[in-house]
Amino acid sequence: MTEARAPESLRLGFLLFPGFPMACLTSAIEPLRAANEITGRRAFDWTLVAESPAPVRSSAEIGFDPDATLQTVEGLDHLYLLSPPTAEFADPRRSPARLRWLDRTGVTLGAFSGGIFPLARAGLMEGRPCSVHWCYEAAFKADFPGIEAREVTILREGRRITASGAGAVFDLMLRLIEERLGRDCMTEVACWFQHPFVRDADASQKVPVARAGGTTDSLPAPIREAIRLFETHVEDPLRIPDVAAAVGLSGRHFERTFKRETGQSPLRYYHQMRLMKARQRVLYSNDSFREIAASVGYMTSSPMIRHYTELFGVSPRDERRLTQSMRRAAPPRVEAAE
């Protein structure tokens, strides 16, 4: 067992919304449990929180019984929101007000994965940058244009901590363990789970390269820069020759290198990227198709709808309707036993 300091327990709460990502919860609790076991003392305590006392079903349709409700929970140092991006507060008046009260009392607030959406809706991210998972980035920017969304896996900004996915949550917990119990304990916890490495706090997210089986960070610098330019010009698409010139390659060399590295021509890659951004807003917002089309560089919605259907095999209208019906058909919560 590793020798450890004896800090007062760090008390963490996890506010669960229906459909929350279960992997994020286990990635948070398991390293803390291991740290307690390794040191032989309860350096970390955790509490499951919900808006009501009823069990909350996760993304894997497994129910979790909360230990406390949001209105009654006390004694927390940190509170993290876990939810899908479509989550809404069951009590839209009292719950955000309670979060703002917890903030005023000095509780560090944070969010994992889609939990950034309700945290932002509560008005608690104004003027603060945050980590947003690449799957939700377009929808988040549409809903909260005044909040800076960064591509890093973890962002700690004062008393706000955001993490973009389950792997990032595990890394965040390792950082908390290191800060309270030392690097030796953190390393031992990482080795317990065969966690291969701990990313730097400002590490960029891993983003897949469409149809190439790799990630953008593994690409040559000119191709990475081209994709970055594509990302920053979704609403106002650039000409491919202009992108080639911007990254210092001739048009032919750029086309050949881009296709070799990604498996697609730059024009096709750019087109699919724009449609992927559109899909995020179809699935995670209530924006009209006209608004969505304009946001990804289409003058009208008709060609966007046609290209969307060709790429994804379903029209945006049908996909939105199916997704909404699946949410409505989710199994009801099981009432807590008396």
Side-chain angles (χ1 to χ4, degrees), residues 191-210:
C191 290
W192 267 35
F193 295 95
Q194 291 299 292
H195 195 63
F197 61 91
V198 182
R199 284 170 287 195
D200 294 335
D202 60 350
S204 296
Q205 295 182 36
K206 293 281 188 180
V207 180
V209 177

Side-chain angles (χ1 to χ4, degrees), residues 1 30 41 64 69 101 110 135 188 198 202 214 217 295 307:
M1 303 287 270
E30 281 297 286
R41 58 177 62 91
F64 288 78
T69 66
W101 181 85
C135 277
E188 190 167 346
V198 182
D202 60 350
D217 59 335
S295 76
H307 293 155

Side-chain angles (χ1 to χ4, degrees), residues 20 24 58 163 234 255 266 310 314:
F20 73 91
C24 285
S58 70
V234 170
E255 290 268 354
E310 290 170 356
V314 61

Side-chain angles (χ1 to χ4, degrees), residues 147-160:
I147 300 176
E148 182 186 356
R150 294 187 184 170
E151 295 180 355
V152 295
T153 55
I154 300 167
L155 190 55
R156 300 173 71 173
E157 183 79 10
R159 286 191 294 103
R160 294 292 182 276

